[in-house]
Amino acid sequence: MPALWYLETGEMNAPSKNQKDFFRIVTISTALGFGTLAAFLYSMKDVTHDAQLVFSAGTVIAFVLAAAAGWAFWRIVRAFAERHK
C-alpha cells in the first residue's frame, strides 16, 4: 500500500531535498569554475616571452559570461531531468 500512496499523491515525482542541494552545489561550482577559467584565459597576455596576467574590464565580462553559461547549462539539465521523470 505505501507504494500506491506515493503514486496517488505524486510525492515520488517531487525532487527531494538532496536532489535540490546537489543541483545547487553543482550549479554554483560549475559557474564559478567556468567563470574563473574564462577570466584567467582572457587575462593571459604575452605567453611566448614572459607570461603575464592583465586584469581588465574584459576579464570581468569573460567571468560573468562564462559563469552564466555554466549556470544555464545546469538549469537546462535540471529542467530536462524533471520533465522526463
Side-chain angles (χ1 to χ4, degrees):
M1 269 312 178
L4 183 59
W5 179 76
Y6 281 127
L7 292 175
E8 289 175 357
T9 61
E11 277 188 36
M12 205 169 197
N13 292 334
S16 69
K17 182 182 181 321
N18 289 339
Q19 287 174 327
K20 290 179 185 177
D21 289 344
F22 172 76
F23 274 110
R24 184 177 299 121
I25 291 168
V26 169
T27 302
I28 292 170
S29 299
T30 302
L32 289 175
F34 278 5
T36 303
L37 179 64
F40 177 77
L41 292 176
Y42 184 85
S43 65
M44 292 282 298
K45 304 294 182 215
D46 194 22
V47 179
T48 56
H49 296 109
D50 189 23
Q52 296 177 350
L53 295 176
V54 178
F55 187 82
S56 65
T59 305
V60 175
I61 292 170
F63 177 86
V64 170
L65 290 176
W71 187 279
F73 172 77
W74 282 109
R75 297 285 291 189
I76 292 168
V77 169
R78 186 175 181 184
F80 280 137
E82 289 177 358
R83 187 177 301 148
H84 292 291
K85 279 188 176 180

